């Protein structure tokens, strides 16, 4: 038996198959929006002015990824799936929000996707927040008002600004105890002795909003608020521990054996324990509905992308499905899967609503594979959702043991992870065992190891769309090998660590900065000059 889960991770399946979002990038669009949304929550008044300072990958590709529009949208309070994100600049002007962007450049000491957000509200109160987009829409707040913090939303978080005075911390902890708020972690920072101090309380369970007025009424307290990180455990059930929680593939197989379930069923039970069965089913139903729309609408009605580099390719591929080309090469089912995967990238690149799976840049692989094979096998919605839960379980392990962000691990972390997720789901759909599904996931990862992230112009268009097609091919091949009895020489958990190490070994130029690979080919540069979207 593998060891019991250690992290008590409570990341939702719908942050792996999700968030449901407007494209084109989960880290640079959805994640950026969430950083700004959290920052805005620190001020009580209406924000009048905001300056965004962009670092590393954000600095190089913010226009092409829609990061600028997403950051403004987050300040305005829009959610990740709000189609008004593309019009956020106009909305800001209507609401009287002044904004500007400053490009800071590269700093190897910072996360690849880092933004500093400096705000002033209509009362003159200021706040400064540093946000990091970790991939797949997940974020971390690492600095507030110049003080280093570490807020990722694993617990409900109470942020208190107060004077550095004797008894201040004791007064705060005593009040929380009286209100029956159990403190998991507490950190206090101060700018100088007797000056400004900040205390961050991470608590078990969601502390009720009724506590805030009492905290704010304490004499040393200047300001207090609950920080909610969208999509994080603090919005679910912090500290939950059930037998269905797992940290890696070995523990996942243990859970499957213990409960006599496949991977998808274990993941579904785990999710239901986090958010309740009714919400669990409804959330997966929405994921499935969006996936059906995103994989088919662009086939019927192709739309050019923001950069103009793609649009209509999915329909071209789909047209070969019943002909000699499709029969001789991919076959009818895989041709359908590839066309659907490419359709998702077209929808995303035109700022349409998609499901990140696990990222926007790799969003086509899982729905393309699962829906095409489901149609071929005649599976019902319950079986399809079970397969999607299987994919989510693999993605969860890769998110916690490795990474899924192109800026951190290259395209192998995005399309490679998506291919692994899809391969496992295909094995389950075709009756394979959980161990067989993990073998397929490992094989898929191994065959895309080292794949670089080199988007032309920083846009999630080229070569991203074709890479989703290759991800489908990798998933199909890996699933068939595993179902035929071919084992992965390197186990899934080890392969995840290998993928992470390879990603960290890639130079920054090959990790979503658009400064290497295909992005710097002469024809790519010439196309960028004609595009003009990045200014």
């Amino acid at each position: 038996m593998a060891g019991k889960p250690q992290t008590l991770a409570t990341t939702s399946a719908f942050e792996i198959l999700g968030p449901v979002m407007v494209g084109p990038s989960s880290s640079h669009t959805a994640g950026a929006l969430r950083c700004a949304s959290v920052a805005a929550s620190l001020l009580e008044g209406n924000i009048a002015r905001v300056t965004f300072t962009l670092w590393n990958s954000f600095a190089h590709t913010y226009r092409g990824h829609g990061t600028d529009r997403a950051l403004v949208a987050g300040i305005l309070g829009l959610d990740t799936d709000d189609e008004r994100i593309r019009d956020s600049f106009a909305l800001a002007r209507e609401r009287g929000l002044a904004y500007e962007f400053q490009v800071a450049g590269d700093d190897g000491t910072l996360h690849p996707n880092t933004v500093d957000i400096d705000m002033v509200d209509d009362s003159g109160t200021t706040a400064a927040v540093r946000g990091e987009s970790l991939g797949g829409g997940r974020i971390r707040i690492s600095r507030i008002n110049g003080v280093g913090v570490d807020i990722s939303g694993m617990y409900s978080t109470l942020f208190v600004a107060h004077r550095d005075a004797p008894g201040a911390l004791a007064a705060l902890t005593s009040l929380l105890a009286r209100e029956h708020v159990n403190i998991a972690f507490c950190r206090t920072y101060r700018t100088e002795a007797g000056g400004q101090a900040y205390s961050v309380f991470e608590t078990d369970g969601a502390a009720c909003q009724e506590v805030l007025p009492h905290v704010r009424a304490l004499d040393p307290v200047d300001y207090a608020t609950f920080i909610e990180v969208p999509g994080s455990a603090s919005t679910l059930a912090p500290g939950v521990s059930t037998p269905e929680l797992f940290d890696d593939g070995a523990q996942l197989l243990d859970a499957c054996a213990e409960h006599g379930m496949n991977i998808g069923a274990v993941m579904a039970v785990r999710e239901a324990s986090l958010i309740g069965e009714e919400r669990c089913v409804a959330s997966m139903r929405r994921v499935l509905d969006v996936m059906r729309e995103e994989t088919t609408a662009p086939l019927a009605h192709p739309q050019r992308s923001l950069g103009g580099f793609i649009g209509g390719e999915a329909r071209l591929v789909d047209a070969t499905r019943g002909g000699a080309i499709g029969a001789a090469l991919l076959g009818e089912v895989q041709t359908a899967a590839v066309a659907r995967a490419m359709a998702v990238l077209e929808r995303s690149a035109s700022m349409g609503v998609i499901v990140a799976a696990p990222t926007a840049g790799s969003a086509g692989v899982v729905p393309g594979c699962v829906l095409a094979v489901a149609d071929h096998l005649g599976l019902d919605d319950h079986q399809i959702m079970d397969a999607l839960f299987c994919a989510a379980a693999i993605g969860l392990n890769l998110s916690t043991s490795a990474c899924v962000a192109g800026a951190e691990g290259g395209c192998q972390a995005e399309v490679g992870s998506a291919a692994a997720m899809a391969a496992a789901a295909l094995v389950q759909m075709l009756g394979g065992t959980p161990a067989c599904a993990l073998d397929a996931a490992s094989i898929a990862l191994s065959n895309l190891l080292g794949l670089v992230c080199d988007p032309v112009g920083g846009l999630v268009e080229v070569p991203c769309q074709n890479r989703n097609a290759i991800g489908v091919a990798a998933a199909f091949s890996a699933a068939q090998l595993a179902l035929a009895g071919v084992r992965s020489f390197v186990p899934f958990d080890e392969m995840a660590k290998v993928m992470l190490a390879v990603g960290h070994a890639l130079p920054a130029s090959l990790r979503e900065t658009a400064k290497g690979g295909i992005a710097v080919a002469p024809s790519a540069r010439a196309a960028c000059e004609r595009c003009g979207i990045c200014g």
Side-chain angles (χ1 to χ4, degrees), residues 414-433:
E414 296 205 27
V415 168
S417 294
M421 294 163 63
L426 293 179
V427 167
Q428 180 174 296
M429 294 166 75
L430 289 160
T433 65

Side-chain angles (χ1 to χ4, degrees), residues 150-416:
D150 184 1
I151 301 172
S152 60
M154 185 58 68
Y155 293 86
S156 296
T157 302
L158 172 64
F159 178 80
V160 184
H162 58 87
R163 296 189 302 280
D164 180 35
L169 185 58
L172 286 166
T173 56
S174 296
L175 187 152
L176 294 177
R178 290 196 304 272
E179 297 291 336
H180 306 290
V181 176
N182 189 45
I183 299 171
F185 302 99
C186 171
R187 292 183 295 274
T188 297
Y189 314 84
R190 66 180 186 179
T191 55
E192 60 181 345
Q196 184 70 58
Y198 302 93
S199 290
V200 178
F201 298 93
E202 293 178 298
T203 65
D204 290 322
C208 60
Q209 290 291 330
E210 286 77 7
V211 173
L212 272 181
H214 300 297
V215 174
R216 291 169 176 164
L218 292 175
D219 182 62
V221 172
D222 299 316
Y223 176 72
T225 188
F226 284 114
I227 297 176
E228 292 188 0
V229 177
S232 69
S234 63
T235 63
L236 300 172
V240 69
S241 176
T242 76
E244 287 71 42
L245 287 175
F246 49 86
D247 292 329
D248 56 29
Q251 292 171 357
L252 176 58
L253 292 182
D254 283 350
C256 290
E258 182 179 349
H259 297 279
M261 296 177 175
N262 62 28
I263 291 175
V266 166
M267 188 66 175
V269 170
R270 172 191 181 277
E271 187 67 23
S273 73
L274 295 176
I275 65 175
E277 184 174 357
E278 184 177 349
R279 182 178 169 192
C280 174
V281 173
S283 297
M284 186 57 85
R285 167 63 62 187
R286 186 185 183 215
V287 165
L288 179 55
D289 288 345
V290 175
M291 283 184 167
R292 282 180 168 143
E293 175 70 13
E294 71 184 6
T295 57
T296 56
L299 299 179
H301 305 288
Q303 186 173 354
R304 296 305 293 177
S305 61
L306 287 176
F309 295 157
I310 64 174
E313 291 80 7
R315 175 189 270 184
L316 294 176
V317 173
D318 193 53
T320 69
R321 182 153 45 103
I325 293 175
L329 296 175
L330 294 179
E332 185 170 352
V333 178
Q334 190 173 333
T335 299
V338 166
R340 291 185 181 201
M342 295 176 73
V344 175
L345 267 289
E346 291 183 19
R347 188 175 181 86
S348 177
S350 59
M351 295 198 83
V353 176
I354 63 161
V355 179
T359 67
S362 60
V365 179
V366 169
C369 289
V370 169
L371 295 179
V373 171
D375 284 352
H376 176 72
L377 296 175
L379 302 186
D380 61 28
D381 284 0
H382 173 77
Q383 292 168 307
I384 297 171
M385 291 191 288
D386 205 33
L388 292 174
F389 272 119
C390 175
I394 301 302
L396 174 65
N397 279 332
L398 292 173
S399 295
T400 55
S401 299
C403 67
V404 297
E408 184 176 357
C411 195
Q412 59 159 15
E414 296 205 27
V415 168

Side-chain angles (χ1 to χ4, degrees), residues 76-133:
L76 294 173
L78 275 59
D79 208 345
T80 58
D81 62 349
D82 195 320
E83 295 189 72
R84 294 177 297 168
I85 291 172
R86 70 187 73 181
D87 304 317
S88 63
F89 293 164
L91 289 174
R93 287 192 293 272
E94 291 174 9
R95 298 187 190 182
L97 171 66
Y99 61 88
E100 65 173 316
F101 298 92
Q102 295 183 356
V103 176
D106 296 320
D107 184 337
T109 67
L110 301 180
H111 187 276
N113 303 324
T114 296
V115 57
D116 288 329
I117 304 170
D118 295 281
M119 303 164 291
V120 182
D121 70 13
D122 49 13
S123 69
T125 305
T126 64
V129 175
R130 171 167 291 173
E132 301 168 358
S133 180

Side-chain angles (χ1 to χ4, degrees), residues 429-516:
M429 294 166 75
L430 289 160
T433 65
C436 183
L438 285 189
D439 274 330
S442 185
I443 292 169
L445 278 178
S446 70
N447 288 328
L448 293 173
L449 205 62
L451 186 60
V452 304
C453 186
D454 50 353
V456 173
L459 303 169
V460 190
E461 301 183 18
V462 176
C464 315
Q465 186 185 43
N466 290 347
R467 294 235 173 105
N468 274 253
I470 297 306
V472 169
F476 269 66
S477 298
Q480 185 157 343
L481 288 175
L483 286 166
V486 177
R487 300 293 305 276
S488 175
F489 186 82
V490 176
F492 172 74
D493 290 332
E494 292 183 25
M495 190 62 70
K497 292 181 173 60
V498 168
M499 188 259 279
L500 180 64
V502 170
H504 288 171
L506 291 174
S509 62
L510 300 178
R511 287 189 276 117
E512 210 171 353
T513 57
K515 296 173 69 177

